[in-house]
Amino acid sequence: MSVLLEATLRSVQISLITAMVSGLLGVVLAWLVSRTEFTSRKTVASLLSVPYALPPYLLGMAWVVLGNPTVGILRAFLPSNGAYGTLGICFVLSSVAFAFPYLELRAGFDRLDSSLEEAARISGASPVKVFRDISLPLLWPALVNGMCLAFLYALASFGVPAILGLPVRQFVLTTLIYSQLKLGGQAGLIEGFKISLLLLTIAACALGFSHYLTSLKNRLGASISGARSSRPSRIQLGRLAPLVMSVTWLWILLTLVLPWIALTLSALAPIAGSYSPSTFTLRNLSYVLNLADFHEALVNSAVLSVSVASLVVLLGFCLGFLSVRKKKPWASRLIRFFGIPFATPGTVLAFFIIFIFSTLARLGFNADYPLLLMAIAYTLKYAAVGANSLETAYTQIHPSLEEAARISGARTVKLLSTIWAPLLKQSMKAAWLLAFLPLATELTMSVLLTGPGSATLGTVLFQLQEYADQPSAAALAWMLLTLALVIGLMTRKKEIY
Amino acid sequence: MSDLILKNLSKRFGEKEVLSPFTLEVKDRSFLALLGPSGCGKTTLLRIVAGLERPSGGEIWLGSRMLFGQMPHQASGASSSTTVEVPPEDRGLGMVFQSYAVWPHMTVEENVRYPLDIQASRASKRSIDNSSKKPLTLDQRQEACEKALSLVHLLELKDRYPHQLSGGQQQRVALARGLAVEPPILLLDEPLSNLDAKLRSEMRREIREIHRKLNMTILYVTHDQREAFEMATDVVILNAGAIAQKGTPSEILKAPNPGFVTEFLSES
């Protein structure tokens, strides 16, 4: 079998398994926290949204520490090649991607008038039957969207299959593009182009298929978003409550706590696999902190992520105003257009940028500034995050607030600065974080676009891991994961009831 | 034979007492209106009867069947007891919600058939405790469904989906669904509050008609005095989680308790 065919099949397989597992986990967890009652429910609910903010390759590295076939802490419980290979990749991706269907369905349950479900219970249906006959058909679009996002996420992922797949020579499409480009030259570029088109086609098919699945049952669309009645009556789990509680906490332990502990131990260990407290050392941490590449990466990542996140939010603020309030069709079309680079796998996006600029270079127009290319790639990829969330925010505020200011004599600039900016502050903050968090540790696009003097946190980490300097890599990964966890825990959605 | 008895029932949400302990007996086949301003606890009371909220204390009896309460152990005397809490799906009641709660993904007929089909499949499995009834055959279910639909004058619209119906028609679907299995008690939670005045008076007449024809107990929550006094055989006026007055409509209108009830009745 050719490498390309094998990588294609593996990509599709991994994405399908991840989408299925994520969908199943998302449905069960969302239903449990939205509709049942058990001790610590609120804590579980808000902790489950934290993985969303974590760079998956950090979890991948943690699972290398836990599941290395020779020195891994948990190797006794894992199959022969430990966390490496397709299964490990699927597990690590699912431990993040389940958040897509989970969050979609949580929002769905919140919008769903709970008396629809209560009416079925009064009719004699057991909780399981209510879920099958009422909740699931009504939340079907949310589930399909969530699973489609998980599929695209797994298909586009680069870091996890690189860390857990390349050591056992298992390629997926994104890592294959990367290795083709590393070969360099015209042949690699053409090969990369072909694979990129293939990857893009699969992503488009997945989107089309999910669109078809949601349109099947869309006659109910409008009627479920009606007014919520009272707060939902929660199902008492009775004897099952302790079981549900332990299983949900086990999942949180496995996906959040254990990876952090693994990276902590590994960061403190003098060599990989030696985890006795007497030999713990801070040498790895201080080595990384004194690394020149690290200083360069810290500055680059900070500057890039802060400026691109701010740019994207500002762009969304202006475009949202033009589209929602000024009814400019070009503005809403541009916002829709941003959905394309957003759905495009980062590897493909970065590849096309390289392709365009290398073509330009051959025409005598030299623009070999890796940081600039990264800024362009980041902006294209995340423009949709700012534009979509701010467009929604504009539509949620009653136009009379603006009209009152207009009648008081405010012109556009005054209107934006004194009315809309303060009103949309919370949405802008949220959108900024949604762009900043993934960009600060971005790997997929950076690893292709990087060059001398343009290291980022993601690429430095990837290099340390690739050159098998595992203790240093673990030290850096530990710092980033700790930071991401702290930000994720601080900004997690609070549960109201 | 199946009076609904609420004994020392109370409900707290955290610190807040929504219903202070009270006792209420609803005679079989009566039409009891729970009347009161918003926030007086009337909807909470209805949801407790339905099994959608758990009371903080007290007992609920439907005839000789305990729906909620502490059942003392027969063997070991009064010292120990087990909590009885029949889940809503096992209480065998009917309910009409304020928001209609008509399932948007099912036709009118499918909505009304749903409780009938469930009852049939459960009766055939003998999972329900008072399943002395034989499971209804397909024909009998079809008949019951059509009977309920014609009671609310919706038989011609049975193949429509809810979004093709007006608000008043959706309300009728909800009513037919609640009636379909002819439950011993039908619970109605402000069923007419989303309808316009003309439809409201029409529906008041029809609900009274249905009560007369089917001879079931009706528990009707409303903030509208007119609905309560026009339809009900008994009225309970609630204020801040406590019963302010109970009696037949004429008793209350003739001699309203001084204070809250007099004031409440003089409004509007």
Side-chain angles (χ1 to χ4, degrees), chain A residues 189 349-363 365:
Chain A
L189 216 53
L349 195 64
F351 176 80
F352 282 143
I353 288 173
I354 292 172
F355 193 80
I356 290 167
F357 277 88
S358 70
T359 314
L360 284 178
R362 263 183 290 126
L363 297 173
F365 177 81

Side-chain angles (χ1 to χ4, degrees), chain A residues 113 115-116 118-127 129 133-134 137-138 219-220 223-224 230-231 233 236, chain B residues 13 47 50 52 54 87-89 93-95 97 99 101-106 114-115 118 122 161 163 177:
Chain A
D113 180 357
S115 56
L116 291 168
E118 289 164 3
R121 285 202 81 191
I122 308 257
S123 305
S126 64
K129 209 162 153 47
D133 292 348
I134 311 294
L138 291 177
R219 59 168 175 269
L220 36 108
S223 42
I224 59 160
S230 49
R231 57 179 187 181
S233 88
Q236 303 294 331
Chain B
F13 283 126
R47 288 171 64 84
L52 296 170
R54 171 187 282 178
E89 62 267 30
L93 308 178
M95 182 162 176
F97 291 81
S99 61
V102 174
W103 299 307
H105 58 306
M106 300 184 191
Y114 190 80
I118 287 188
R122 289 181 56 161
Y161 279 96
H163 70 266
R177 184 178 63 190

Side-chain angles (χ1 to χ4, degrees), chain B residues 161-228:
Chain B
Y161 279 96
H163 70 266
Q164 299 166 311
L165 303 178
S166 69
Q169 289 167 331
Q170 291 189 26
Q171 183 61 74
R172 287 161 193 268
V173 178
L175 194 56
R177 184 178 63 190
L179 294 171
V181 295
E182 303 199 5
I185 303 182
L186 181 64
L187 309 168
L188 297 119
D189 184 10
E190 306 240 11
L192 308 185
S193 62
N194 292 332
L195 304 179
D196 63 42
K198 186 171 167 291
L199 261 170
R200 264 213 295 273
S201 79
E202 203 180 305
M203 288 300 288
R204 279 201 296 272
R205 215 178 41 241
E206 283 186 20
I207 291 175
R208 219 169 34 190
E209 188 79 350
I210 285 167
H211 178 238
R212 202 176 50 75
K213 274 188 194 156
L214 297 186
N215 247 322
M216 54 175 60
T217 309
I218 288 186
L219 217 58
Y220 189 105
V221 161
T222 181
H223 64 269
D224 183 338
Q225 306 174 29
R226 190 149 172 210
E227 285 176 17

Side-chain angles (χ1 to χ4, degrees), chain A residues 352-437:
Chain A
F352 282 143
I353 288 173
I354 292 172
F355 193 80
I356 290 167
F357 277 88
S358 70
T359 314
L360 284 178
R362 263 183 290 126
L363 297 173
F365 177 81
N366 196 10
D368 193 17
Y369 308 111
L371 281 176
L372 177 72
L373 297 193
M374 277 188 219
I376 294 173
Y378 287 10
T379 310
L380 274 173
K381 179 88 181 159
Y382 285 91
V385 171
N388 281 330
S389 51
L390 281 160
E391 191 188 32
T392 315
Y394 270 108
T395 59
Q396 281 165 349
I397 288 176
H398 201 275
S400 64
L401 292 177
E402 179 195 294
E403 285 154 7
R406 223 174 247 286
I407 286 168
S408 315
R411 284 164 186 276
T412 305
V413 174
K414 196 87 184 154
L415 218 53
L416 283 173
S417 61
T418 59
I419 305 296
W420 287 113
L423 284 176
L424 297 178
K425 211 169 92 190
Q426 287 307 318
S427 306
M428 293 210 279
K429 248 188 186 159
W432 193 86
L433 269 175
L434 272 180
F436 169 79
L437 285 176

